[in-house]
Amino acid sequence: MKNLDHKKKQRAQTTINTIREWIYSIVFAAIAVTFIRWLTVGLYVIPSGSMEQTLLTGDFVFVSKLHYGACTPVTPLQIPMTHRTIPGTRLKSYLNWIQLPQYRLPGLGDVKRNDVVVFNTPEERDMPVDLRQYWIKRCVALPGDVLYIKHKKLYVNDVPADMAINTIQYKYFMKTNRVFPHAFFERAGIKQFTLSTVPDHKGYVIYTTSEKANQLQSVLASSIQSVEPEEVVISDDYQPKVYPWDPSYAWTKDNFGPLTVPKKGMTIPINKTNLILYGYLIQHFEGNKEVQCAASSCWIDGKPVEHYTFSRDYYFVMGDNRDQSRDSRFIGFVPEDHIVGKAVLVLASSDIKKGGLGGMRWNRLFHSIR
């Protein structure tokens, strides 16, 4: 009996030791994966079509944090491998009891013009920086650049900026005399198309590149009567959703600027114009403790200032799907500390409208991002 009891105790102890080893292994693996993801790489899923044709909804994108250097966490009390909520629930996966200062580790280089970058949106100012939603856009203007948009065309430092990018697409109306099957649009590489419901206006609203728009009109001239771009938005009226969100500027998504992107060390005079364009940066993103700005005056820590020198760099980002993208034309500049990393590779891609293997886009496996 004693031998039996002893053997049972041994088996129980062995089971306990095995369970303990598994727990240690799982905890260690979770910590290791979290550390690697924080320091080197991330994997993000594209939720919308704002970057078509470069990126498609359902792309699984590999993002390098080594290119620009990883940022240290602001909110360290988070469940590993989560962001904001526990997967499959609405429960918070973090505690904001501790908030740390953020630092950027050395990287391989700086953000370059036309890099496709992942960043934390600057809109959610009630959330810590590292818990804000991830967005992905193309960085079209760097700190110190002057940009403007004229009749949908982007210029940076007075140079046309989209000439080297063949994936920029716009909204068109394709006038037709018949209905086309979905397969036609799939073959043409058009992901977004809608049959017009306007009487006496037969055709489709499509989003595509200018090159494909020209090809459509030439390939099926008998069925496609015309492919015309969306009318440019020209307005003298205040557009409240367009930066800088002030009645003094009647900018639109199609005619915008000129606007200088703030650069670290750049000094501006404090006046009405500059406070409209940059006052929200001084108040919310420059790390000042107490800022008060009136119509044409500004006080920092209770002291009036006549000039202000920026303490960090900012970037201007836009989606490649220009007529269907919420970007810096609407949300303003992206601060340097909000940049997460550079999108470099599509690891896999799945069409969420199709289930199983039928939805896999095999031609996008390990597709490089430019």
Side-chain angles (χ1 to χ4, degrees):
M1 291 295 292
K2 289 183 178 181
N3 289 335
L4 288 175
D5 291 340
H6 181 67
K7 289 181 178 179
K8 287 181 180 180
K9 289 181 179 179
Q10 280 186 326
R11 285 197 295 268
Q13 187 61 45
T14 300
T15 301
I16 292 172
N17 290 339
T18 301
I19 294 173
R20 186 183 293 117
E21 288 176 2
W22 272 103
I23 292 174
Y24 288 161
S25 298
I26 292 172
V27 171
F28 176 79
I31 293 174
V33 170
T34 300
F35 182 79
I36 292 172
R37 287 187 61 190
W38 161 69
L39 190 62
T40 60
V41 299
L43 183 63
Y44 303 92
V45 182
I46 304 302
S48 70
S50 69
M51 279 297 292
E52 292 182 356
Q53 299 278 326
T54 304
L55 296 171
L56 306 181
T57 303
D59 280 353
F60 291 82
V61 177
F62 179 89
V63 176
S64 168
K65 299 180 182 180
L66 295 174
H67 275 76
Y68 313 136
C71 286
T72 58
V74 175
T75 312
L77 300 180
Q78 298 187 48
I79 297 176
M81 294 179 289
T82 66
H83 182 69
R84 297 174 65 142
T85 59
I86 298 173
T89 74
R90 295 184 179 181
L91 299 175
K92 293 196 304 184
S93 62
Y94 67 92
L95 295 172
N96 56 6
W97 298 344
I98 300 175
Q99 295 291 290
L100 302 177
Q102 187 185 62
Y103 301 96
R104 186 176 294 277
L105 302 179
L108 300 176
D110 298 322
V111 179
K112 295 180 176 59
R113 195 177 294 115
N114 291 328
D115 279 359
V116 177
V117 297
V118 170
F119 59 95
N120 297 107
T121 174
E123 285 192 310
E124 299 179 318
R125 293 199 297 265
D126 58 330
M127 298 286 290
V129 172
D130 57 342
L131 291 177
R132 297 173 186 176
Q133 290 183 349
Y134 293 122
W135 286 22
I136 185 167
K137 306 289 179 185
R138 188 179 297 277
C139 177
V140 298
L142 300 175
D145 284 344
V146 178
L147 70 98
Y148 61 90
I149 301 169
K150 186 175 182 179
H151 297 293
K152 291 182 179 288
K153 303 303 180 183
L154 173 67
Y155 297 82
V156 178
N157 301 327
D158 289 325
V159 177
D162 292 336
M163 300 297 290
I165 305 172
N166 59 7
T167 56
I168 303 298
Q169 66 177 31
Y170 299 96
K171 183 179 180 180
Y172 292 85
F173 181 76
M174 185 175 74
K175 187 178 180 180
T176 67
N177 56 20
R178 69 182 181 90
V179 175
F180 291 98
H182 281 52
F184 168 79
F185 295 99
E186 288 185 3
R187 289 194 300 269
I190 297 174
K191 307 299 179 183
Q192 299 181 59
F193 57 91
T194 307
L195 183 63
S196 174
T197 58
V198 180
D200 302 324
H201 203 55
K202 295 181 180 179
Y204 291 85
V205 175
I206 62 174
Y207 293 86
T208 189
T209 64
S210 58
E211 180 182 4
K212 288 186 178 180
N214 293 332
Q215 290 175 354
L216 284 172
Q217 194 162 3
S218 62
V219 171
L220 288 174
S222 60
S223 300
I224 301 176
Q225 298 169 333
S226 64
V227 182
E228 299 293 337
E230 177 192 47
E231 186 177 348
V232 174
V233 179
I234 301 175
S235 176
D236 293 329
D237 298 328
Y238 165 47
Q239 304 283 312
K241 293 183 179 180
V242 176
Y243 180 88
W245 323 297
D246 189 274
S248 302
Y249 290 84
W251 294 351
T252 72
K253 68 180 181 65
D254 299 331
N255 288 283
F256 184 97
L259 179 66
T260 301
V261 183
K263 181 179 182 179
K264 183 178 181 180
M266 184 177 85
T267 300
I268 58 171
I270 296 298
N271 53 41
K272 182 179 180 180
T273 298
N274 282 335
L275 286 177
I276 290 173
L277 294 177
Y278 307 111
Y280 86 105
L281 298 179
I282 298 172
Q283 289 184 283
H284 301 294
F285 299 110
E286 283 288 290
N288 297 307
K289 292 182 179 179
E290 184 181 348
V291 180
Q292 291 179 316
C293 291
S296 58
S297 302
C298 193
W299 294 264
I300 297 178
D301 295 333
K303 298 179 180 179
V305 291
E306 296 182 354
H307 295 81
Y308 184 81
T309 301
F310 288 100
S311 63
R312 63 186 58 180
D313 288 327
Y314 294 85
Y315 301 89
F316 197 94
V317 300
M318 293 178 68
D320 285 359
N321 192 0
R322 291 292 164 79
D323 289 325
Q324 205 172 39
S325 172
R326 182 171 170 79
D327 47 43
S328 285
R329 293 171 293 178
F330 303 95
I331 67 172
F333 302 105
V334 177
E336 184 274 335
D337 64 333
H338 286 53
I339 300 292
V340 175
K342 179 180 180 181
V344 295
L345 189 71
V346 176
L347 293 180
S349 183
S350 177
D351 187 343
I352 59 176
K353 297 179 182 178
K354 301 178 182 179
L357 293 177
M360 287 294 295
R361 302 184 182 109
W362 300 106
N363 63 331
R364 293 189 65 77
L365 291 178
F366 305 108
H367 179 78
S368 61
I369 298 173
R370 294 183 176 86

